Amino acid sequence: MICLNRYSLLEPTTTRVVLGVRKLLAVMSSTLMNGGVEAAAGSGGGGVRDLYGEDRATEDQLITPWSFSVSSGCTLLRDPRYNKGLAFTERERDAHYLRGLLPPAVFNQELQEKRLMHNLRQYEVPLHRYMAMMDLQERNERLFYKILIDNVEELLPVVYTPTVGEACQKYGSIFRRPQGLYISLKEKGKILEVLKNWPEKNIQVIVVTDGERILGLGDLGCQGMGIPVGKLSLYTALGGVRPSSCLPITIDVGTNNEKLLNDEFYIGLRQKRATGKEYAELLDEFMRAVKQNYGEKVLIQFEDFANHNAFDLLAKYSSSHLVFNDDIQGTASVVLAGLLASLKLVRGTLADHTFLFLGAGEAGTGIAELIALEISKQTKAPVEETRKKIWLVDSKGLIVSSRLGSLQHFKKPWAHEHEPVKELVGAIKAIKPTVLIGSSGVGKTFTKEVIEAMASLNKKPLILALSNPTSQSECTAEEAYTWSKGQAIFASGSPFDHVEYEGKVFVPGQANNAYIFPGFGLGLIISGAIRVRDEMLLAASEALAAQVSQENYDKGLIYPPFSNIRKISAHIAANVAAKAYELGLASHLPRPKDLVKYAESCMYSPGYRNYR
């Protein structure tokens, strides 16, 4: 009677649902007590009773997808957060009903890692390694991150660039299960409800893309999800951000890629891209919903948006949300770090150098602006003045003042007084740069003539071929060293092997954003920052440059090895957090005394836990 009185306080619909659930549980309990082998209704022989009516239902009848979840037995083995595979101890196997579900051998995590790395190395096709790693992530989360952290230099090109580019191109064919949230035009007006469908509630970092400009591969639509998934794997492995606090999101507004629209396996909306008001309204609803659901301090990282949207979104939301664009700001920060470190090899100050860019999109103009800000900081000169040390070449040639009327707004600050120059080689001869930076997304554009021109002007020309993936790199490491006759200081966006030239071994550096964004994000989190400012990016660059050792310089490197990435990320996080406190943008008070140690203490550890 007490139960009935309690239900009488509920709405009629709720009462029916509760009583229905009780009735179902009673039936299931009765079945289980009878061994679950009652004769099926209407059948001539024995069988398991059709509790849910699935067998008796016709295709047009609705059934309820009931599920019971207990952290034991098969349920435990299928939960990637807690599954340890053969590493479950004898006691854990007894306590959690795992006897018979696993072979009798008990491995430790190190032996599991050794076995999996052996298996991964058997794959000759990089995409197969990528798929194997994604399968591991969905099966055993802690082992995935343990392997990635311990073998970061070997596996970084597998889980991220360049292999992730191919994975995105073929995402429809290799798609197995969702690894993030898909928000399409179909969800307009109910994005907040979609966000609430994600099982984790304490989200600290969101990486979001609309798939329009994936690496140097163009519009991949909904299949761009590989980028947020890959980036957030690195947030955890390299920056120590907990996996449960990371959320990958793809916003699907269609695609203009005809090949995908005609692909029967394409997983996104089959329509041309929405633009203008429809696009802006969807993004605005998304930004408001994220803030409402996760709060003021959730970091939203924009990833691989097309130029026209990337700049607009960053400008629109940087004053109201904690936003960061890795293509504009992350790339700029990592390149600036390399330039600061290179000064020990080429001597002088940043202001002593002249910079020439091939490419004037998000990355190129973002890097250029941060260089100008750093020179301004060092020399106390106005940033309008320091920009004059930096020149950009786009598809129409050198950006000069006579082109102002036809330039996009983000290119206009770089239009200096000079006669028009169409070709890159002509611009090199006219401007006489000491640093050549490629961010064009077009491969093989640093030709032999271009490299030779740089080498003829500089004893140690600094050449950065930043475009990804490898096929889109402006030149290879071998080409840079060979054509410059060993003079060049070289770094690239994608990894290249060591190069031997005239008996000397050259080790190319990698100007990978993964040096910056994991530590940068961790710094924002541990300080409780509410906004991102340029001063934080400068602080991150300076922290990374400070991690380059004399041993690295002796090899011609301007970046430290990735094997030390967690230590590097902790120092970057500390510098970024310190700047957030200095600017009054930090909300975690009081400020920790030792920010480096505090950052290290906050990092996720992938070692297995013991279960009761």
Side-chain angles (χ1 to χ4, degrees):
M1 291 298 294
I2 293 174
C3 290
L4 289 175
N5 289 337
R6 186 185 306 161
Y7 293 142
S8 68
L9 297 174
L10 302 173
E11 293 292 329
T13 304
T14 307
T15 304
R16 288 196 298 272
V17 170
V18 173
L19 292 175
V21 170
R22 290 190 69 203
K23 183 178 179 181
L24 175 67
L25 291 173
V27 172
M28 292 188 70
S29 176
S30 172
T31 304
L32 290 171
M33 286 189 291
N34 291 327
V37 288
E38 297 182 10
S43 67
V48 178
R49 186 173 180 183
D50 182 14
L51 294 178
Y52 306 112
E54 292 169 303
D55 295 336
R56 297 191 302 274
T58 59
E59 288 189 5
D60 59 347
Q61 287 179 307
L62 300 178
I63 63 170
T64 302
W66 295 102
S67 168
F68 287 83
S69 180
V70 180
S71 292
S72 62
C74 287
T75 306
L76 180 57
L77 293 176
R78 290 168 182 162
D79 189 334
R81 295 170 299 175
Y82 302 116
N83 179 31
K84 300 196 288 186
L86 289 176
F88 282 107
T89 65
E90 299 287 358
R91 188 187 64 78
E92 288 171 337
R93 294 180 189 209
D94 286 331
H96 295 279
Y97 307 98
L98 297 172
R99 285 292 175 191
L101 300 179
L102 292 168
V106 177
F107 287 7
N108 59 29
Q109 197 175 23
E110 287 67 32
L111 186 56
Q112 286 181 308
E113 179 180 348
K114 181 179 179 181
R115 180 169 66 94
L116 280 163
M117 286 304 299
H118 171 77
N119 292 341
L120 281 172
R121 289 166 181 151
Q122 304 309 305
Y123 293 111
E124 295 183 1
V125 179
L127 184 62
H128 293 168
R129 291 186 185 181
Y130 173 89
M131 293 168 67
M133 285 295 288
M134 293 303 103
D135 285 343
L136 176 60
Q137 187 178 22
E138 294 173 6
R139 187 173 71 249
N140 187 331
E141 186 175 86
R142 287 185 177 274
L143 186 56
F144 169 83
Y145 286 112
K146 181 76 163 63
I147 287 176
L148 185 51
I149 291 167
D150 292 348
N151 304 274
V152 63
E153 291 183 304
E154 181 176 353
L155 294 180
L156 186 62
V158 175
V159 299
Y160 200 61
T161 182
T163 310
V164 74
E166 184 183 359
C168 288
Q169 288 176 310
K170 300 175 181 177
Y171 209 78
S173 299
I174 67 175
F175 178 80
R176 283 174 168 77
R177 56 184 289 185
Q179 294 176 292
L181 276 179
Y182 294 86
I183 297 174
S184 74
L185 290 168
K186 292 181 179 180
E187 283 71 58
K188 190 174 182 182
K190 48 188 176 183
I191 292 178
L192 182 59
E193 296 173 36
V194 175
L195 293 177
K196 291 180 184 294
N197 288 342
W198 188 250
E200 302 293 344
K201 306 306 175 188
N202 184 25
I203 299 299
Q204 294 177 309
V205 183
I206 290 171
V207 176
V208 59
T209 185
D210 70 353
E212 190 169 3
R213 193 200 61 83
I214 298 297
L215 301 174
L217 303 172
D219 186 350
L220 297 184
C222 189
Q223 298 189 168
M225 177 58 94
I227 298 298
V229 170
K231 288 278 185 179
L232 286 168
S233 296
L234 300 185
Y235 259 108
T236 298
L238 313 186
V241 179
R242 287 180 299 107
S244 60
S245 67
C246 297
L247 174 55
I249 295 179
T250 291
I251 295 179
D252 187 359
V253 295
T255 178
N256 294 333
N257 187 326
E258 289 293 338
K259 185 178 179 182
L260 290 180
L261 291 174
N262 295 321
D263 183 351
E264 64 176 324
F265 298 127
Y266 180 55
I267 59 175
L269 290 178
R270 293 182 184 274
Q271 65 172 62
K272 292 290 187 179
R273 277 190 172 273
T275 58
K277 184 180 179 183
E278 187 179 16
Y279 180 89
E281 286 177 349
L282 187 73
L283 267 291
D284 194 58
E285 182 188 347
F286 167 73
M287 295 299 289
R288 285 186 284 106
V290 165
K291 196 170 182 179
Q292 182 178 343
N293 202 45
Y294 301 120
E296 184 86 15
K297 292 178 285 187
V298 62
L299 172 61
I300 305 168
Q301 178 171 314
F302 296 121
E303 197 68 41
D304 288 352
F305 285 76
N307 289 343
H308 54 281
N309 289 323
F311 287 102
D312 290 346
L313 289 171
L314 193 59
K316 182 175 181 179
Y317 294 108
S318 60
S319 60
S320 59
H321 293 67
L322 184 67
V323 292
F324 170 70
N325 186 304
D326 191 44
D327 303 302
I328 299 172
Q329 297 166 299
T331 303
S333 189
V334 76
V335 172
L336 177 59
L339 296 174
L340 292 173
S342 72
L343 295 177
K344 289 197 175 181
L345 296 174
V346 298
R347 305 302 176 192
T349 66
L350 211 57
D352 295 330
H353 291 270
T354 302
F355 305 86
L356 180 63
F357 286 76
L358 178 62
E362 297 171 55
T365 55
I367 298 165
E369 184 65 14
L370 205 62
I371 293 171
L373 287 170
E374 179 66 17
I375 296 175
S376 175
K377 177 185 171 184
Q378 292 179 3
T379 63
K380 310 301 181 188
V383 71
E384 292 79 12
E385 191 65 30
T386 60
R387 285 178 183 144
K388 294 177 182 177
K389 300 285 295 181
I390 304 164
W391 298 79
L392 279 69
V393 172
D394 64 8
S395 59
K396 294 180 174 60
L398 190 66
I399 294 178
V400 292
S401 54
S402 60
R403 293 178 53 195
L404 268 173
S406 61
L407 291 174
Q408 294 164 287
H409 66 90
F410 54 86
K411 294 182 182 181
K412 289 183 178 181
W414 312 103
H416 308 315
E417 287 292 336
H418 197 282
E419 61 187 31
V421 180
K422 287 286 185 184
E423 302 297 330
L424 177 60
V425 173
I428 291 172
K429 292 176 180 177
I431 304 301
K432 296 180 172 53
T434 54
V435 181
L436 178 63
I437 300 173
S439 61
S440 62
V442 181
K444 305 299 180 184
T445 43
F446 287 177
T447 61
K448 183 178 181 182
E449 190 179 5
V450 166
I451 302 297
E452 287 178 343
M454 286 295 295
S456 69
L457 294 169
N458 303 282
K459 185 178 179 181
K460 290 184 177 180
L462 185 55
I463 297 171
L464 305 180
L466 303 178
S467 295
N468 286 313
T470 310
S471 60
Q472 305 304 117
S473 183
E474 284 78 9
C475 69
T476 66
E478 184 176 9
E479 289 167 345
Y481 292 125
T482 303
W483 292 339
S484 69
K485 296 181 179 177
Q487 293 176 231
I489 298 169
F490 177 81
S492 57
S494 290
F496 285 104
D497 292 331
H498 298 182
V499 175
E500 185 173 344
Y501 177 76
E502 293 189 351
K504 185 177 179 181
V505 176
F506 293 87
V507 183
Q510 188 183 358
N512 194 317
N513 292 19
Y515 277 116
I516 289 290
F517 71 81
F520 187 83
L522 180 63
L524 297 175
I525 291 169
I526 65 174
S527 64
I530 58 171
R531 298 290 180 272
V532 171
R533 294 290 179 262
D534 288 334
E535 292 89 340
M536 298 176 185
L537 298 169
L538 297 178
S541 299
E542 290 160 6
L544 176 56
Q547 296 301 306
V548 185
S549 67
Q550 187 57 51
E551 182 183 354
N552 302 144
Y553 286 125
D554 292 342
K555 295 177 181 177
L557 288 170
I558 56 175
Y559 292 101
F562 262 108
S563 56
N564 299 329
I565 188 60
R566 280 209 153 193
K567 175 190 170 189
I568 294 166
S569 292
H571 281 84
I572 291 172
N575 252 32
V576 170
K579 187 58 67 174
Y581 282 107
E582 181 185 322
L583 296 172
L585 295 171
S587 63
H588 287 175
L589 301 172
R591 169 180 168 161
K593 291 181 180 178
D594 189 329
L595 284 168
V596 174
K597 286 186 178 179
Y598 182 64
E600 290 173 340
S601 73
C602 292
M603 285 184 167
Y604 166 83
S605 172
Y608 286 145
R609 304 298 191 264
N610 294 321
Y611 300 149
R612 293 186 181 89

